[in-house]
Amino acid sequence: MDRQAGKKRAGEEAAKYVERGMTLGLGTGSTARCFVDALAGKAADGWGLRGVPTSEETRRQAEAIGIEIIIPDETTVIDLAVDGTDEADPQRNLIKGGGAALLREKIVANAARRFIVIADKSKRVAALGAFALPIEIEPFGWALTVRNIRAVLASAGFDGVGVELRAREGEVVKSDGGHLIIDCALGRIDNPANLDRALKAIPGVIETGLFCGMADMIIYADETGVSIDQA
Ligand code: 5RP
């Protein structure tokens, strides 16, 4: 499977749902990048698009093609949010956060009138969990929070699983908001909504990468075509 071709096609397909004057939630990652790329012509043609980006990386890309970047206030209506995913199950539950943007992504997806997920077909799974679950946590007292995460995981049936502070090339990874990411190798998550609730109850846990019941539509694509999963 040519995954990059799938990402590009999914991004182009999602761009068909964009209308003039819309305020868009803009996701993060290589697939979300394809969606923003697909908006370049519309932005150049004066469609008056405004964007709420979920990362600095996406903000730079969107700004460069002429999308007006806005900081949302209480009156902001996000018409449509479009984002990638790391995994998606048949109930349209997701694991996100591979790009450490999960908190902002969840805030924006939750606020949007419609949330469309775009993915190459490799992201479709029968059950979530092969991709390590990212959890965004507060740096203060982080090791204590990790101890509690291990305890909650153990009582949910995930005793002794890998729980790691995310680091790249020897550097601890921080989200744009300055938080840490903990990756949990769970294997298979049978009840993602319950696990999300249990993890969120731990002081120090800011957000989890489980997006349950949020996606209105998932656009899967590969080099041969597109398939749509929606309620
Ligand atoms: C970033 C995310 C991304 O949407 C997810 O990691 C998918 O990324 P990609 O499109 O590069 O495969 O959740 O926090």
Side-chain angles (χ1 to χ4, degrees):
M1 185 192 297
D2 179 349
R3 292 182 54 192
Q4 190 51 40
K7 291 174 189 202
K8 184 168 184 292
R9 193 180 277 225
E12 288 167 356
E13 189 67 23
K16 295 179 185 168
Y17 295 85
V18 173
E19 295 170 16
R20 286 178 185 273
M22 271 190 166
T23 297
L24 300 168
L26 303 172
T28 292
S30 55
T31 319
R33 168 166 279 277
C34 293
F35 171 67
V36 177
D37 281 343
L39 299 177
K42 298 183 197 304
D45 287 348
W47 275 38
L49 300 176
R50 308 193 318 158
V52 181
T54 54
S55 62
E56 286 306 303
E57 183 190 336
T58 301
R59 181 188 59 74
R60 283 191 292 272
Q61 186 199 2
E63 222 165 34
I65 63 163
I67 293 177
E68 181 193 349
I69 303 301
I70 60 163
I71 296 171
D73 63 25
E74 287 186 37
T75 68
T76 301
V77 175
I78 299 175
D79 299 293
L80 170 67
V82 177
D83 202 349
T85 192
D86 296 299
E87 284 184 346
D89 75 8
Q91 289 72 43
R92 291 182 297 283
N93 297 315
L94 316 172
I95 286 184
K96 287 183 48 53
L102 61 103
L103 172 61
R104 294 186 183 187
E105 291 172 333
K106 203 180 265 192
I107 291 170
V108 168
N110 177 67
R113 283 188 165 155
R114 191 175 198 197
F115 177 35
I116 296 182
V117 174
I118 49 177
D120 68 82
K121 287 184 181 172
S122 72
K123 305 290 183 70
R124 183 162 37 194
V125 296
L128 301 178
F131 189 92
L133 173 66
I135 304 176
E136 187 158 345
I137 70 167
E138 158 65 32
F140 175 81
W142 71 270
L144 304 176
T145 305
V146 168
R147 185 168 71 195
N148 280 326
I149 289 173
R150 285 188 201 280
V152 165
L153 289 177
S155 37
F158 299 105
D159 207 359
V161 296
V163 173
E164 280 186 13
L165 177 65
R166 189 180 296 180
R168 296 276 181 272
E169 293 160 6
E171 292 282 314
V172 170
V173 171
K174 289 200 170 172
S175 67
D176 284 344
H179 306 132
L180 306 177
I181 305 292
I182 306 297
D183 291 308
C184 307
L186 303 183
R188 181 189 168 99
I189 305 171
D190 286 320
N191 194 328
N194 278 2
L195 184 61
D196 183 43
R197 265 191 298 277
L199 290 167
K200 292 271 288 284
I202 301 170
V205 167
I206 295 169
E207 196 46 87
T208 88
L210 289 166
F211 286 48
C212 300
M214 296 181 74
D216 296 302
M217 175 191 286
I218 304 181
I219 299 174
Y220 293 104
D222 64 11
E223 63 271 38
T224 62
V226 168
S227 68
I228 291 186
D229 178 358
Q230 67 182 325

